[in-house]
Every structure is written in C-alpha cells, then in structure tokens.
Amino acid sequence: MSIFEHQDFDNHETVVFARDQASGLRAIIALHSTRLGPATGGCRLWAYDSEADALKDALRLSRGMSFKNAAAGLNLGGGKGVIMLEPGQSKTPELMRAFGRAVERLNGAYITAEDVGVDTDDMAEVRTETRHVTGLADGALASGDPSPVTARGVFESMKTAARLVLKRESLAGRHVAVQGLGHVGWRLCELLNADGASLTVADINGEHLEKAQVAFDAGIADTKDIHKIDCDIFAPCALGGILTRQTVPEVRARLIVGAANNQLAEESLAGALQERGITYLPDFIVNAGGIMNAAAEIEGVVAKSWIEEKLSGLQDQIERILEHAAVESRPPHQIAIEIAGKRLAMAR
Ligand code: NAD
C-alpha cells in the first residue's frame, strides 16, 4: 500500500504507525498540519475491517481537524489517532497507556483527546504517560467530556439553519432524524426534545433505542434507512461516510446538520446535495464545540464564558456561510473549506 500516492494523503506532515506488543496496541497517528499550532484531534478506537480502512480514517479525520481548527479560529493544527481493535480484543488501561507513550514520543507535536470509543477514563490512562492530552475529567483546568459542548454547537447550528433556510424561529414541531445515540447524539436528542422537536432515531445498539423510545417518544428507524426519513432535518451523529452517491438521492430532509466527522464520502457530493435543494452544513464547522472545549484546557482558560463566546461566534460564522452560499449559489461546504484554507495559507 503506497501512502504518498493514497487518495486521502493530502501532504500530511507526519504519519506514525505505533505498535506495542505487550498491550496489543496497533495505532496510527496522523499529523496533517502543525502550521497553526500542535496537531490536535481525538483518538478513535474501532474494530476496523482492514488496516487500509484505519489509515483512510486517520488521514481523512486529521485533515478534517486542520480545517475545523482553522475555521474555528483556534491556534491548533490538525491531527488524529486511531487505535485498531482486532476481533475479540477489548479496550484495556494498558492499551490506552501504550497509546499515551506513542503520543509522548511525538514530543507535543500531537495533542490527543476523546473520540468514538474513548472516554475521560481512557484519557486519564493516557495522561499517566504523556501531558499532551486534553479532555481530562480531573484537574484545575480539566475540560472533561467534550460531547455536551459539541451537542450544544450542533443544536444551535440547527436553530440558525432552521431560521435562515426553513424560515422557522424555533425547532418546536420540526421532525429531526438522528443517526447515532452516543455521547453527542443522545445529548442532542435531549436538547431537541426539550425544544419541542419530534424525533426518529437509529443506532446499532438496541439499548440506546429502547431508552430513546421511553425518554423522547422517538420513532425508530433501521440503520440502513435513517437517511431516507421524510423529515425537516437529518442529523448524522454516528460514523463518517453516510452521504454517498447512493444515499444522497434518497435523502428527504431539507437540512443536514450533524456531529459526525466526514459525513461526505466524497467532496463533490456537497454539490449534489445543493442541486437537490438540500442544505448541508459543513460537519467541521457544526461540530467544532468539542474542540473549542478542549482548546480552553490547552490554552489554560477556566472561564465558561470563553466557550460561550466561541459557540456564539460559531453561529455568526454559519450565518455568514449560509448568506455567502445563497448569494453565490454554491454549497456552504465549499465556502467553509475556503475560509479554513485562507487561514491555513496565512499561517507560517
Ligand atoms: P459515540 O461512540 O459515543 O457514539 C456513536 C454512536 O453511534 C453509538 O451509539 C453507536 O452505537 C452508534 N453507531 C455506530 N455505527 C452506527 C450506524 N451505522 N448506524 C447508527 N448508529 C451507529 O461517539 P460520539 O462521541 O457521540 O461521536 C459521534 C460522532 O461525532 C463521531 O463521528 C465523532 O467523530 C463526531 N464528533 C464527536 C465529538 C465529541 O465531542 N464527542 C466532537 C466532534 C465530532
């Protein structure tokens, strides 16, 4: 497998393969860019079908973090770690500590945090081996689990898009289809339910579905069909790549606003959605709440008001992107990429 010729290789500065035989660690850490600061992005733990899938994920996710951090105005570069679980292998403290040692060997060029499959307890294990970690639960500056702030950002982004695109002042009475009821998806459902939206949900975990039926009176969809639900907003909050050449023609929502990273399987699908009259808000803009929360810990900011200001700036940015997109009849995704690209180009 050639890495330099890989279709997702975007001149990443460094790609590291980490192995620790004793704990069973097999990980890839990709540093897309350190132009704006240390490459920062979560660690994903997943049972990938192949090493090629894990590499693709690490390359795409780390590039996405460069754009996310740049667009959010943070002085952080883009990086991501993925831990590949083998069939039958489970997460252990030893595994997370071995990952921590791999992060430590990068000498601060990469700062890790939580992502899918990883929580604050895991980050506490990582912290025993390296200080280049954020999203900790304990400590004077600890920012904790970033998911609630991510969910808040997604929720506020939905409200902004509903106001500008659907011409609705609130989400009350809107129907939202949520894919994935994990840390972010569940919190998002709580906020939507409290605001009077009705919910249809899908998850591979049956327990989450049962809980959602009870807590939100949510309708249940098959995981293969959630994108086809006739609703106002589709919120992908599971893994990436849900918007493909096959699924895009099947989407019936007017808006797509969700937390999952890399929702578009191919960049060109932003145009296909636009042609269908569907407004897709760029994932890396909408889901930046979590990294803003982590950035507060990295910058040593304790004040909650700092994050609130960032979240409110995020809504101003979405307004500008949507207005710009409407005037130029271009996908919001393209405009967001340009905003991030300009900031990256200006950085030394
Ligand atoms: P999580 O692991 O807590 O939850 C993911 C949920 O998706 C789980 O409930 C899982 O069962 C479900 N799922 C997996 N595959 C599915 C499928 N095919 N169909 C339906 N459900 C499926 O992860 P999370 O922290 O909630 O993150 C969700 C997404 O948001 C990820 O893509 C993550 O990268 C992104 N994200 C998270 C944060 C954060 O703060 N946690 C920040 C930015 C982006």
Side-chain angles (χ1 to χ4, degrees):
M1 184 197 325
S2 163
I3 292 177
F4 294 113
E5 304 304 322
H6 194 287
Q7 62 169 352
D8 294 301
F9 182 74
D10 180 44
N11 292 314
H12 286 65
E13 290 176 13
T14 307
V15 181
V16 174
F17 294 78
R19 172 73 173 143
D20 178 74
Q21 218 174 351
S23 65
L25 177 79
R26 293 184 313 144
I28 302 173
I29 302 175
L31 282 63
H32 176 255
S33 167
T34 56
R35 274 187 179 200
L36 286 167
T40 306
C43 165
R44 177 170 292 189
L45 181 133
W46 194 252
Y48 289 94
D49 287 340
S50 66
E51 285 176 17
D53 283 357
L55 177 64
K56 183 181 177 67
D57 220 17
L59 292 175
R60 292 198 77 202
L61 287 166
S62 58
R63 176 176 181 268
M65 287 310 301
S66 290
F67 285 108
K68 187 186 308 196
N69 293 337
L74 302 172
N75 292 323
L76 299 173
K80 201 86 180 184
V82 303
I83 298 179
M84 294 172 255
L85 282 187
E86 294 190 55
Q89 185 184 12
S90 29
K91 186 169 71 175
T92 60
E94 291 72 26
L95 189 75
M96 296 314 299
R97 287 202 289 271
F99 180 74
R101 288 194 292 280
V103 172
E104 178 63 16
R105 286 194 290 274
L106 293 169
N107 258 326
Y110 170 61
I111 302 177
T112 196
E114 293 90 348
D115 192 56
V116 173
V118 171
D119 58 24
T120 48
D121 288 344
D122 301 319
M123 283 302 122
E125 294 297 342
V126 171
R127 179 67 181 91
T128 61
E129 303 286 350
T130 182
R131 63 192 168 85
H132 305 300
V133 48
T134 175
L136 295 167
D138 300 312
L141 296 169
S143 60
D145 176 8
S147 310
V149 184
T150 305
R152 261 281 308 288
V154 177
F155 175 69
E156 298 296 338
S157 304
M158 279 185 185
K159 290 211 292 196
T160 302
R163 180 163 51 77
L164 295 178
V165 181
L166 304 180
K167 310 295 177 204
R168 299 280 180 172
E169 284 308 315
S170 106
L171 292 172
R174 295 307 98 216
H175 179 190
V176 186
V178 181
Q179 181 199 32
L181 297 172
H183 289 88
V184 182
W186 184 268
R187 181 71 192 125
L188 176 65
C189 285
E190 286 180 333
L191 294 169
L192 288 166
N193 183 55
D195 219 36
S198 66
L199 297 170
T200 300
V201 298
D203 198 295
I204 50 173
N205 182 328
E207 274 178 37
H208 291 179
L209 297 176
E210 280 167 32
K211 270 175 56 193
Q213 266 176 318
V214 175
F216 315 124
D217 196 20
I220 307 297
D222 193 276
T223 51
K224 289 190 215 70
D225 296 331
I226 185 75
H227 66 280
K228 299 181 196 163
I229 298 295
D230 189 3
C231 61
D232 298 293
I233 309 175
F234 173 41
C237 296
L239 298 184
I242 172 67
L243 299 170
T244 64
R245 283 170 196 240
Q246 192 209 317
T247 60
V248 162
E250 296 171 337
V251 173
R252 295 165 81 187
R254 279 286 314 282
L255 292 173
I256 303 178
V257 186
N261 284 307
N262 296 332
Q263 291 167 33
L264 297 172
E266 298 166 35
E267 301 274 313
S268 63
L269 291 167
L273 286 163
Q274 166 102 346
E275 277 167 26
R276 292 206 54 227
I278 299 166
T279 302
Y280 164 70
L281 285 197
D283 48 14
F284 67 88
I285 300 286
V286 165
N287 70 15
I291 195 68
M292 290 168 174
N293 195 56
E297 185 170 334
I298 296 167
E299 300 268 347
V301 185
V302 203
K304 284 259 177 287
S305 57
W306 189 86
I307 292 168
E308 288 304 320
E309 263 173 44
K310 287 271 173 207
L311 281 177
S312 139
L314 179 66
Q315 297 320 307
D316 295 342
Q317 188 175 51
I318 288 174
E319 272 192 31
R320 283 196 300 275
I321 290 173
L322 285 176
E323 280 163 11
H324 203 135
V327 170
E328 296 183 11
S329 296
R330 288 203 295 146
H333 181 75
Q334 251 180 29
I335 289 157
I337 293 269
E338 285 167 13
I339 292 171
K342 267 187 203 151
R343 184 153 186 258
L344 278 168
M346 278 189 321
R348 273 183 297 147

